[in-house]
Amino acid sequence: MYGLSYPVFTTVVDKLKPHITASNLSLPSDYAVSMVLSRLAHGFSAKTLASRYSLEPCLVSKITNMVTRLLATKLYPEFIKIPVSRRRLIETTQAFEELTSLPNMCGAIDGSPIKVKRGDIEVNMYKCRYGYSSVLLQVVADHKKVFWDVCVKAPGGSDDASHLRGSVLYNRLVSGDVVWDKVINVRGHHVRPYIVGDWCYPLLSFLMTPFSPNGSGTPAQNLFDGMLMKGRSVVVDAIALLKGRWKILQDLNVGLDHAPQTIVACCVLHNLCQIAREPEPETWKDPDEGGVPARGLENEKSFHYFGDSLRQALADDLHQRLSSR
């Protein structure tokens, strides 16, 4: 009914209870949380839940906004974290290497449109590639399909590269604010941990993308592309699981002002479920996406240059290692 097991439910209630109590809500904390979880898990409208719980629809909306805001702010720092600790970083990169044979990969990035009510929004700005009004979700996932970064800043008409460049994560990586204490040497290149994405993202020193979207590279490059996309598949699966577990994300029925916090709240709950190894429900797959390769910006030239040389070194090293087996 609530999208998660009783032990995880009690964890959510215990962590939110002090904040809900401080808000002077006239309902018990577990009652409020259960109502919001059932809305997120099944996509119920405020009106539907109001009749079910014998409350006014405006009160259901108010409680939904409060609980999702608390999840997105108070619980986010605890459950959505960049893997900077050495133990977690080594565990993550080793797992990706077992999957892809590529060393020092620490995450996979992708974007996904979340359908919203049209209302009074600018249709063109919010119209996504699938033809409906949406906001864009960007996530980075690890090998366990746990998100370690979430961003909801762009309307659905934006492209993945622009959304990335407007994110806090991008600014932290470009400025060197994220310190990953794990550097390896590949053919004379110092390779720090990196994330992987498809060709809709720019090639940068910390973000590896495929050489070619259609397999027109050299044997070494095509092998690298295949392994990179294998690593990227974890984030595609994670998003499909997120939308399958929290069905409200298949057609978001909250106001546009509250859409980002609702989406982030679902991502926090997704991580709670993944960490607790909850059973995985039937997933929701978006249609296969197209998109043109991202173009580099002038201020990214040095990051692109180093990324290009690192990618070729990783491809040549991978080809040599697998060919000699």
Side-chain angles (χ1 to χ4, degrees):
M1 183 63 193
Y2 305 135
L4 34 71
S5 66
Y6 185 73
V8 180
F9 170 75
T10 56
T11 298
V12 175
V13 172
D14 289 346
K15 288 183 179 297
L16 295 186
K17 191 172 184 177
H19 306 290
I20 295 174
T21 303
S23 71
N24 296 318
L25 183 70
S26 57
L27 295 174
S29 299
D30 55 351
Y31 192 82
V33 171
S34 65
M35 184 175 68
V36 175
L37 287 176
S38 66
R39 186 175 183 188
L40 300 179
H42 299 280
F44 296 138
S45 67
K47 191 175 180 181
T48 299
L49 273 187
S51 60
R52 187 167 294 187
Y53 283 81
S54 301
L55 298 170
E56 289 296 319
C58 61
L59 182 57
V60 173
S61 294
K62 180 183 175 183
I63 295 168
T64 302
N65 293 339
M66 180 183 67
V67 172
T68 54
R69 177 175 49 80
L70 290 173
L71 286 166
T73 55
K74 303 300 183 183
L75 267 60
Y76 185 103
E78 183 177 353
F79 292 101
I80 300 182
K81 296 179 181 178
I82 296 177
V84 289
S85 71
R86 187 154 183 81
R87 183 183 63 80
R88 186 177 167 206
L89 189 57
I90 289 173
E91 177 196 342
T92 303
T93 54
Q94 285 181 346
F96 272 115
E97 188 163 1
E98 287 175 16
L99 176 66
T100 67
S101 298
L102 290 169
N104 246 13
M105 185 187 301
C106 69
I109 188 170
D110 200 15
S112 179
I114 306 295
K115 188 177 181 181
V116 295
K117 295 186 293 185
R118 278 183 58 174
D120 298 324
I121 63 179
E122 292 183 48
V123 176
N124 288 340
M125 184 188 298
Y126 284 87
K127 194 171 184 180
C128 71
R129 55 185 171 264
Y130 304 128
Y132 53 78
S133 296
S134 65
V135 292
L136 197 56
L137 165 66
Q138 173 188 287
V139 290
V140 183
D142 68 11
H143 59 291
K144 293 180 179 177
K145 294 180 280 194
V146 171
F147 301 129
W148 59 250
D149 187 77
V150 175
C151 179
V152 189
K153 290 184 73 172
S158 303
D159 59 84
D160 289 340
S162 298
H163 196 193
L164 168 67
R165 289 170 177 135
S167 68
V168 173
L169 177 65
Y170 175 84
N171 290 321
R172 291 191 67 189
L173 291 171
V174 165
S175 66
D177 181 45
V178 179
V179 179
W180 275 311
D181 182 25
K182 186 173 184 285
V183 183
I184 61 172
N185 190 296
V186 177
R187 297 189 166 223
H189 292 76
H190 294 296
V191 181
R192 298 183 181 279
Y194 56 88
I195 59 179
V196 297
D198 64 16
W199 45 86
C200 295
Y201 289 95
L203 171 65
L204 303 164
S205 55
F206 51 80
L207 172 52
M208 295 289 110
T209 60
F211 284 94
S212 165
N214 55 18
S216 60
T218 66
Q221 291 173 345
N222 291 339
L223 175 63
F224 173 88
D225 286 357
M227 291 303 190
L228 180 146
M229 296 303 278
K230 199 173 182 182
R232 177 188 171 269
S233 68
V234 300
V235 72
V236 176
D237 293 343
I239 292 170
L241 181 56
L242 170 75
K243 290 186 175 183
R245 185 174 268 144
W246 307 110
K247 293 182 177 61
I248 195 170
L249 299 183
Q250 296 172 19
D251 195 349
L252 203 56
N253 54 24
V254 300
L256 191 61
D257 289 347
H258 297 112
Q261 72 181 40
T262 306
I263 297 165
V264 174
C266 290
C267 291
V268 171
L269 292 168
H270 165 90
N271 276 11
L272 270 157
C273 291
Q274 288 303 103
I275 292 166
R277 298 183 179 180
E278 295 280 82
E280 296 187 355
E282 187 177 339
T283 58
W284 169 274
K285 286 276 190 182
D286 286 322
D288 290 336
E289 62 179 301
V292 295
R295 298 178 64 177
L297 302 181
E298 189 68 26
N299 63 347
E300 293 173 341
K301 269 191 173 180
S302 62
F303 293 102
H304 177 80
Y305 173 80
F306 286 118
D308 194 36
S309 59
L310 287 177
R311 182 174 66 175
Q312 190 61 59
L314 287 167
D316 292 340
D317 179 68
L318 175 70
H319 190 250
Q320 183 180 28
R321 281 188 287 115
L322 297 190
S323 298
S324 61
R325 286 182 182 176

